Structures are given as C-alpha cells and as structure tokens.
Amino acid sequence: MAKLKIDLHLNSLQRQGSFEMILPNDMPNESGRPLKTVFHLHGYTGKAESWVPEELVAKYNIAVVSPNGENSFYLNGLSSGHNFASLVGEELVDYVRKTFGIAQRPEDTYIMGISMGGFGALRTALAYPEVFGKAAGMSAALIVHDIAHMKEGDSNPMANYAYYRECFGDLETVEESRNNPETLVKELKAAGKKLPEIYMCCGTEDFLIENNRAFHRFLQEQDVPHQYFESPGIHDGKFWTEYAPKVIEWMFGE
C-alpha cells in the first residue's frame, strides 16, 4: 500500500498546499479490476485523511485522494484564494488525471465525506456531475437552511455570521444559490442531465439527523433515486468507522 503526501502550488488557493493519496500499486491486483478513484473529504476542524479501510483499497483496487479542505465547506469563498470547490472539482481532478492517469471518467471517479465533508461530497458531485459518478455523505452537514438569513453579529455553537458568509456568500439568498445542493438538483433535473448516484447515512442521535432527513425527503419529492440509512449513533468516529466500509461496498462492490 503506497501512501503519498504531495506538495504543490494550488492555483485555486493561490499558495502552496498539499493532498494525501493512497495507491494499491505495491501489491498484485488479484481482483483484476481497473484502478478507480474515490475522493475523500474531511470534516470541520479536520485534516486530510482517509476513513477507507486499506483492505478495501486493495480488494477493489482503488486510489484514495484526500485533499485538505480546511474549514471551507468545499465551496468557493468570497475571498481571493478560497476557491475550494474549484480545488476539488477541477484542479485536483485535473492533476491526478495528468499525473497518475486515473479519474478519467465519472464512472471511475467517486466522492465521499464526513460531516462538513459529507456536505462537500454531495454538493461537489452535483456541481460537477460530468466528473463524479457517485457521491456519499456520512453525517452530512446540510446546514444551508439553518444559516439562511443570519445577520451580522449572529452566531451558533459552530461559528459566527462572518465565517458562514465567507464560505456560503450572501446568507439572505443562500437557499436559492448554487451553494445549496437542492438548487443544483433542480438545475440538473430541469436541464435533463444525469445526476450522480447518491448515498446518505446518519446516526439517529446525531445533531444533524433532522438536516439529513430533510434532504432525504427533498430527494424523494424530486424523484431522485438514492440510498438513505439511519442507525443508532452520534456524530463521531465510531459511526463513520461503521459506515465507511458500507460506502465503499456500495460504490465499488457491483
């Protein structure tokens, strides 16, 4: 199992940066499968890392790309050099395509994430359906409706108005913006475009459970096929350790 940390200049962020990568290229490919790729997005306050079990990396012959999204929600922020949506959906995809010859087609390129990264995975795949064929959000922080209409000086237990405005833009109109995954679903459907396949899971004791249920209901109302699961659990590594293998099986086990 080859583990790489790649340092490079990132045009999206206008500075030096890095991402991590796992490649199963130091062992025989007993599965006979061509190499496929999953982008793995970390959560709020997290770092570039993978929750994908190494035995499944080998079993399904997959590369795992783990960018550092900081606390960006994987969106293009208002400030220069905060283009994290472009980083994941364009720049890193282009880099691994040219450098490693992988992630050439949406059916070979998937994306998953936890918490903030779960939001990022769903939103990024909907924003770049020509890149990502499947997306999985574990305990996804689908908070757009919670932060809509916040005013300067407002805050919640996670962050303040200034932070959310930097990430999501105008909070008066965020629900109608392309930073809302619901908007992207409606756009794709109206254009008659293919949506990525979607998988969602959340613990029943997770503080984000109602947010996930609401997006699940939205997808049902929009007649968007998707997989949705709940089971006992809170917003923690125990739940993600349980579901990360299930996500990989769903993505690559066909």
Side-chain angles (χ1 to χ4, degrees), residues 44-190:
Y44 186 74
T45 74
K47 63 179 182 178
E49 62 181 347
S50 170
W51 288 80
V52 180
E54 290 188 4
E55 61 268 22
L56 295 184
V57 170
K59 178 180 178 180
Y60 293 119
N61 197 41
I62 56 177
V64 183
V65 178
S66 301
N68 185 350
E70 300 179 14
N71 286 340
S72 66
F73 269 84
Y74 302 93
L75 296 170
N76 287 344
L78 297 179
S79 304
S80 299
H82 282 204
N83 292 328
F84 286 89
S86 299
L87 171 70
V88 177
E90 300 173 33
E91 187 169 5
L92 289 188
V93 171
D94 186 60
Y95 182 86
V96 299
R97 282 175 173 175
K98 292 179 178 178
T99 306
F100 298 97
I102 59 176
Q104 302 290 335
R105 308 176 302 164
E107 54 265 40
D108 300 326
T109 314
Y110 305 150
I111 189 167
M112 64 186 291
I114 59 172
S115 192
M116 180 190 79
F119 170 92
L122 296 173
R123 191 269 168 192
T124 302
L126 292 166
Y128 297 95
E130 73 284 358
V131 174
F132 301 99
K134 294 184 180 181
M138 298 189 291
S139 312
L142 295 156
I143 63 168
V144 168
H145 297 297
D146 293 341
I147 64 173
H149 311 296
M150 286 180 72
K151 308 295 183 184
E152 188 169 0
D154 289 349
S155 64
N156 61 28
M158 297 300 294
N160 62 12
Y161 165 85
Y163 164 77
Y164 290 119
R165 190 176 190 282
E166 168 61 35
C167 292
F168 288 86
D170 186 352
L171 299 185
E172 285 299 314
T173 60
V174 67
E175 291 171 305
E176 292 77 42
S177 78
R178 300 189 82 249
N179 287 337
N180 183 358
E182 295 176 8
T183 300
L184 298 175
V185 168
K186 293 176 182 177
E187 284 185 2
L188 292 173
K189 285 177 60 66

Side-chain angles (χ1 to χ4, degrees), residues 9-64:
H9 179 81
L10 296 169
N11 294 321
S12 304
L13 307 186
Q14 298 182 14
R15 56 180 164 82
Q16 289 296 115
S18 65
F19 69 94
E20 296 191 1
M21 194 168 178
I22 299 174
L23 287 169
N25 62 354
D26 61 344
M27 59 183 62
N29 176 15
E30 297 179 359
S31 70
R33 295 171 178 237
L35 185 66
K36 294 194 174 188
T37 307
V38 59
F39 284 72
H40 187 288
L41 308 186
H42 67 76
Y44 186 74
T45 74
K47 63 179 182 178
E49 62 181 347
S50 170
W51 288 80
V52 180
E54 290 188 4
E55 61 268 22
L56 295 184
V57 170
K59 178 180 178 180
Y60 293 119
N61 197 41
I62 56 177
V64 183

